[in-house]
Amino acid sequence: MKGPVLGIDLGTTNSVVAVAGDAGIDVLTTPEGHRLIPSVVSFHPSGEVLVGRAARDRRLLDAQNTVYSVKRLIGRPFESREVQRAKERFAFEFAPSASGGVLVASRGETYTLSEISAFVLREVRRVAELATGGPCTRAVITVPANFNELQRSATKAAGRVAGLEVLRILNEPTAAALAYGYGSGSRERVAIFDLGGGTFDVTILELAGEVFEVVATAGDTYLGGDDIDQLIAEQMAEAFLAHHRYDPRGDRQAYERLRAAAEWAKCQLSAEEEVQLRIEELAYGEGGVSLDLTFGLSRQGLEAMAMPLLARAFDVCEEAMNVAGVRPTQIDQVILVGGSTRMPLVHRMVEDYFGKQPLATIDPDLVVAQGAALQGQALATSRAKSRLGRVTLRRVSQVGMRPAAAVEEVQVKGDPRAAGYAPPPPPPPPAAAARKRTLMGAGPGAKPPTQRPAPPPPPPPPPSEVSLAKPSEESTGLPPVPADLNEAREAIQPSPAMVIGDASEPSGDLPGLDIDLPLPDDAPPPALDPAGFGAPEAAPAPHEQGGLVFDEPPPAGGPGLAGPPPGFAPQADPVAPPLLLDVTPLSLGVETVSGYCEHIIKRNSAIPTEQTRIFSTGMDDQEEVVVKICQGESRRLDENQLLGEVQLDGIAPGRRGAVQIEVTFIIDADGTLAVRAVDKNTGRQQSIRIQLIGGVEDENIDEMQQRLEEKFAGGAQA
Ligand code: AMP
C-alpha cells in the first residue's frame, strides 16, 4: 500500500506536511499537536539523532552539534560565498566533501547536507505516518523557484535517503498559488511575496484559466527573519556590554540564547507594542557572579531597525517587475508566504509597494505545504477526479511579452526602496495594544499572530515579569528549555581539447527519461527577444586555447531556446495525470573557450526541455571528453555556478575531429538535469557520467538510508 502523497514544505526554519483528499487538505500535526516541525537536527551524546522540536531545544545547550538552516547551504559548493559566510556565523562545523560539497561534522562523524535534510524528512514522514495511521512513501517536496540544479538534486536525494519516492520537486510560489485555488478563474497577475526565516523570493505568475505562467522570479538567499533576529541580538549584546563590560558575542552558547530571545521578542512585537525580557545568567563576571540581561524593545524600535533590511526585499521585487515588464500596481493580487510576513511592518510595506492589500487568508506558514499536497493528490489520482486536473503551468517567455511602451506607469503609493521612505503609519492601536509584554507573559496560551482578516486582539495577559533561567543539562541529557521560551517559539510560528558544434538534427525521444508531462500544443514558446533579458552577449571569438572550441554560432533565436522537446504530444487521455509545467530559473551552459560559457538551455525555458550539441574530439585517439557545466546568466564561467562535469568515456578511437558525439542536455519536470550522449558515427549510446559538485551518488543512497535508520530517534523525545 502506497498511502497518500505527502505535500512537504521543507523550510529553512520549519517544515510542514499536508495531505489532500476528497474532504479537503489536512495539515498534519505531531502527536503533541504541532504543525510546524523545526528543520533542525541535533547529534546527541548518546548517539541518537534528534529532529524537530527536541533538536531545536538542543540548539541552546549544544549549539556545536545542532544543525539548522541547511536549506541555505544545500547544493552549494564548499568554496561558495554562502558557505564561507555561514562557516563564520554558524556554531556547527563544516568540512569540504570529496566532490566539493559541504559536510557537517559532529561527534566524530560527517554528514552530507542531503543526509541532514533527510533526517528532517524522515521526521516529517514519521509525523505523517502517525497522523494518517499508515505508510507514507511518496511525496511532492517544494523548493524556492530560484533553486539551481545542485540544490534541486540534493533535495531530491534527501527525499530518497528518507525513504520517500519524490514524485515532484515543486516550486514554492507555484504551490502557494495552487493552495489559493488558482487554475480555474479569470486572467490574473499574481505576485507571491515569500519572506521566511532565511530567504526571500518574489515570483510573478500570470494565471489564465487553466494556464499558469511564471513571468519572473527573483530572490535574495540571505534575507529573512533570521537577519532581523540578529539585529535585535546585536542590540541586546551591546546593551549587555554597556552594562556589564562583557561581550556575550564571544560565547557561542550565550549568543544562541540571545538570538532565541531576540526571535521571541520579534514575534511578540507582531502582536504587542512593547516587550520586556530578562535573561538570567547569560554570563559570569568576576568571582563567578552571574550576569543577567534585562532588555526592552518597542514595535516602533523594531521597525526602525528592520526597515532598511526589509527595503532590500523591494529591490528584489523591482528586479522581478522589470523582468516582467509591469509596475507593482499592475499586479492583481499579492499572496503572502513565510512566517516573517506576519510582521505588521512587512504588511504595510507590501501594501504600500503594490498599492493593494495582500492576500493572507491562508496561514503563510502552511500555504506552501497545502499547495504541494494538492499537487500530490493530482499526481496520485486521475485527472478527471482532481480539482487540479486541468491546470497547466506554462512558461512561455519572460521577454517581449509586454513592450515597455505599453507599460502604464500607474501611481505607486510608496517605494520602500527610496531614501527616506517611511511606510504608512500603523492603524491606531486597540486600547489593549499599548500594554507591555514580558517574556514569561507570553504564557502557554500565546498564539501566533496571523494576518487573517481583522484578528481580534488577544486578551491582555497578566503583566508578570519573570526571568528566563539558564538551561542546564539534566540526567536525561535532554533538559527542557524553559517553558516560557518553548511556548513563545510555538507561537512563532581541464579537459582534452575538443570542439563543440550545434546539433544539426533534431533530437529524438529521450530514452531512459521519465518525462510524464506532455506540453500543450496550443502554446509553443515564442522566440526570446534578443534585446531583452537574457539576450546573449557577443560570443567570444573562436579560440583554440586549452579547453573547448566553440566553432559555430548559436542557433537562431538564441541557444537553448525553450520549446517542447520533439516527441512530446499533448495528452489526449482525459484521465491522464494533470499537466503542471514549470520553468527553469537559471540558464544552463557549458564551458567553451577557457573562462567562457555558452548557454544551452535558457533561463525561464518551459520544462521539461532539451537541447543538443555536437562534441568532437580535439586529439587523435582521444578516449574521453570532459565538459564543464554551469548555471547562471553570465557569459563568464566563473561568474556562474559551476555544477560539475559531464564525462564521456570509452570513445571509439579515431582521428581528431572524426569522432562526433551528440550530447543532449535535458531539464526534466523537476528542474533537474539529465544528459544523454550518442556517438553520431555509430549511433551507439555513449557512456556518460555526471559528477555534480557535492552530488550524492546513487550507490551511496542505500548506505545513507541505513545509517539514517540506525540513528534516527525521531521526535519521540520532543
Ligand atoms: P518560515 O521560514 O516561513 O518558517 O518562517 C520562519 C520565520 O518567520 C522565522 O524568522 C520566524 O521568526 C518568523 N516568524 C514566525 N512567526 C512570526 C511572527 N508572528 N512575527 C514575526 N516573525 C515571525
Side-chain angles (χ1 to χ4, degrees), residues 12-14 195-198 225-226 229 263 266-267 270 338-340 342-343 365 449 491-493:
T12 309
T13 317
N14 296 300
L195 187 64
D226 297 356
D229 302 344
E263 184 181 5
K266 174 192 74 177
C267 294
S270 290
S340 298
R342 289 203 168 103
M343 286 180 75
D365 273 326
I492 303 164
Q493 284 293 330

Side-chain angles (χ1 to χ4, degrees), residues 521-572:
D521 60 346
D522 60 339
L528 294 170
D529 174 359
F533 177 77
E537 294 162 25
H543 192 22
E544 285 254 1
Q545 191 190 318
L548 309 176
V549 178
F550 169 55
D551 65 350
E552 283 179 46
L561 186 63
F568 277 104
Q571 199 149 27

Side-chain angles (χ1 to χ4, degrees), residues 487-513:
E487 292 307 326
R489 279 190 164 169
E490 175 56 16
I492 303 164
Q493 284 293 330
S495 53
M498 71 186 85
V499 181
I500 304 177
D502 289 308
S504 49
E505 297 159 22
S507 52
D509 313 338
L510 308 173
L513 261 186

